[in-house]
Amino acid sequence: QVLCTSASSRSKKRFLAADAPMVAFPPLFSLRAISSSTVSHRLAVLFPQQQRRAMSEHLRVMEHDLCAPFEQQQAPQGGLVVLNSAFSGTLLRALWDSSVTRVCADGGANRLYDLQPSLTPDAIVGDLDSARNDVQAYYETRGVRLEKIVDQDHNDLDKAIAEIQKIWAATTPEEPKHVAIVGAFGGRFDQEMATFDVVHRWAERWPGVSFRMYGDENVATLLAPSYRHRIRVRPNLEGPHCGLIPVGRKCRDITTHGLKWNLHSEPLEFGKLISTSNLLADDHDHLHPDYTPRADDEDAIKDHPPFSDSHVRFVSVQTSDPIIWTTPLRAITSSRP
């Protein structure tokens, strides 16, 4: 007999089974209405591997190729926000050429003008208290739209991303899938943290869009829950170190493949454990059965085999809560023509 007992009811149901031992299962749910996340959590406790695999099969795949603009010629796609922080002209040009929509966040216009004055953005938005008068006048003569938005509750990056969303809604039948932010690193620490805050909020507000943050020495992106993330890593341009850092709240459950020290349904939280100074796995120790794209995945990239070579490796991440993925950039010398 198998005895199943409800947590909120004393009623018991018995099921006959030949020579079956008496098994008492811990309560999964009560008769009261509870959230599906609570049921999922309790199922994960009882059947962690089976539950994760079942959930994974129903998640869409989000592809990330953060260093593609530096290594290969590709059709321009996505958006670019230029911030007022220090970065090289090489980094700017590579990201500019790989984007279809470009917006300067206020003083980012100064940076663009000083590095590449021949490049013309689609718009300059923000308080316009940082963009120099000569820079504003220069771009106005080139037909660039300047939009002054006085709103102290949102910073200029926030306004620039909103502008890209508005442009795409009006002109692009199918939204590009990522927004790059150049100048995200290398300036004031409080502004760097403000960038993470904006990206965290926009990842929830604009699902399906990947937000990528670039500086001359680092690249990062936010990995949102509800996706299986597949990260294409180019060892000649990034790594070998990498990090997975929770943002906004504790990460209750994260699983990775393709790292030297993988995480297996583990929590990440400041004050307890965060994954820094991790490493990309060696060629022969990073493969995992869950790493192979399933044939029925809507977004599986058929041209990307699930193995590494001397130029490309893959890392997969599945997380219950927002996570920042980051790697150091090596010297960028774009091979784009």
Side-chain angles (χ1 to χ4, degrees):
Q1 299 181 77
V2 178
L3 177 63
C4 299
T5 306
S6 168
S8 64
S9 172
R10 296 182 182 275
S11 62
K12 301 177 180 179
K13 297 182 180 179
R14 297 178 183 270
F15 301 91
L16 295 178
D19 300 324
M22 178 73 74
V23 180
F25 289 95
L28 294 180
F29 53 85
S30 71
L31 297 180
R32 298 187 302 272
I34 60 175
S35 67
S36 59
S37 62
T38 301
V39 174
S40 297
H41 173 72
R42 295 188 180 180
L43 285 172
V45 172
L46 285 176
F47 313 107
Q49 183 175 2
Q50 296 88 331
Q51 197 260 355
R52 287 198 305 273
R53 187 181 297 273
M55 291 182 64
S56 175
E57 292 175 355
H58 292 88
L59 296 178
R60 298 182 63 185
V61 175
M62 180 175 283
E63 297 283 339
H64 306 268
D65 194 351
L66 304 182
C67 286
F70 313 130
E71 192 172 53
Q72 64 184 19
Q73 186 175 7
Q74 61 180 9
Q77 57 182 330
L80 174 66
V81 176
V82 182
L83 298 183
N84 188 20
S85 185
F87 51 84
S88 67
T90 302
L91 177 66
L92 171 65
R93 190 61 196 241
L95 295 173
W96 187 278
D97 290 344
S98 63
S99 303
V100 294
T101 306
R102 300 102 169 187
V103 173
C104 291
D106 199 352
N110 300 339
R111 189 68 56 180
L112 177 64
Y113 177 83
D114 293 340
L115 289 174
Q116 300 278 353
S118 62
L119 302 180
T120 302
D122 294 282
I124 302 171
V125 302
D127 296 338
L128 300 187
D129 57 351
S130 299
R132 302 193 306 262
N133 291 334
D134 63 309
V135 171
Q136 294 187 44
Y138 172 78
Y139 284 117
E140 279 188 308
T141 63
R142 297 174 68 92
V144 176
R145 179 168 52 83
L146 277 67
E147 186 169 346
K148 184 173 184 177
I149 305 173
V150 180
D151 180 359
Q152 297 304 315
D153 292 331
H154 299 85
N155 66 18
D156 292 329
L157 172 59
D158 203 339
K159 299 166 187 175
I161 296 176
E163 180 66 21
I164 290 177
Q165 186 184 50
K166 183 172 70 175
I167 292 173
W168 288 354
T171 63
T172 309
E174 181 178 352
E175 292 178 349
K177 298 300 183 184
H178 70 264
V179 173
I181 303 166
V182 62
F185 305 103
R188 283 170 28 201
F189 178 72
D190 62 329
Q191 291 182 335
E192 291 181 353
M193 295 306 296
T195 297
F196 284 112
D197 175 60
V198 169
V199 167
H200 176 251
R201 286 187 280 113
W202 270 99
E204 295 184 348
R205 192 186 311 172
W206 204 358
V209 175
S210 170
F211 294 90
R212 305 172 178 181
M213 295 159 279
Y214 293 88
D216 282 328
E217 297 181 353
N218 296 280
V219 60
T221 189
L222 188 143
L223 307 181
S226 304
Y227 292 92
R228 286 195 292 140
H229 297 277
R230 180 172 160 87
I231 305 166
R232 187 181 181 108
V233 180
R234 302 171 184 270
N236 60 319
L237 292 171
E238 57 185 314
H241 292 91
C242 60
L244 290 159
I245 304 169
V247 59
R249 58 182 182 266
K250 170 185 176 180
C251 176
R252 297 161 295 167
D253 186 296
I254 183 170
T255 296
T256 68
H257 305 302
L259 302 180
K260 183 71 173 180
W261 297 284
N262 280 311
L263 299 163
H264 304 284
S265 193
E266 297 177 52
L268 294 179
E269 182 180 8
F270 278 94
K272 294 187 178 179
L273 172 68
I274 60 174
S275 180
T276 61
S277 299
N278 208 327
L279 291 167
L280 302 174
D282 296 332
D283 288 345
H284 302 293
D285 65 7
H286 81 291
L287 300 181
H288 189 281
D290 290 344
Y291 200 62
T292 305
R294 295 172 56 86
D296 56 352
D297 282 340
E298 292 181 3
D299 295 338
I301 304 301
K302 298 178 181 178
D303 295 333
H304 295 172
F307 57 86
S308 69
D309 56 33
S310 60
H311 301 292
V312 176
R313 295 182 184 176
F314 292 90
V315 174
S316 67
V317 179
Q318 188 173 321
T319 176
S320 63
D321 299 275
I323 286 286
I324 294 292
W325 161 267
T326 181
T327 58
L329 281 178
R330 302 185 181 187
I332 299 299
T333 55
S334 176
S335 63
R336 296 173 62 88

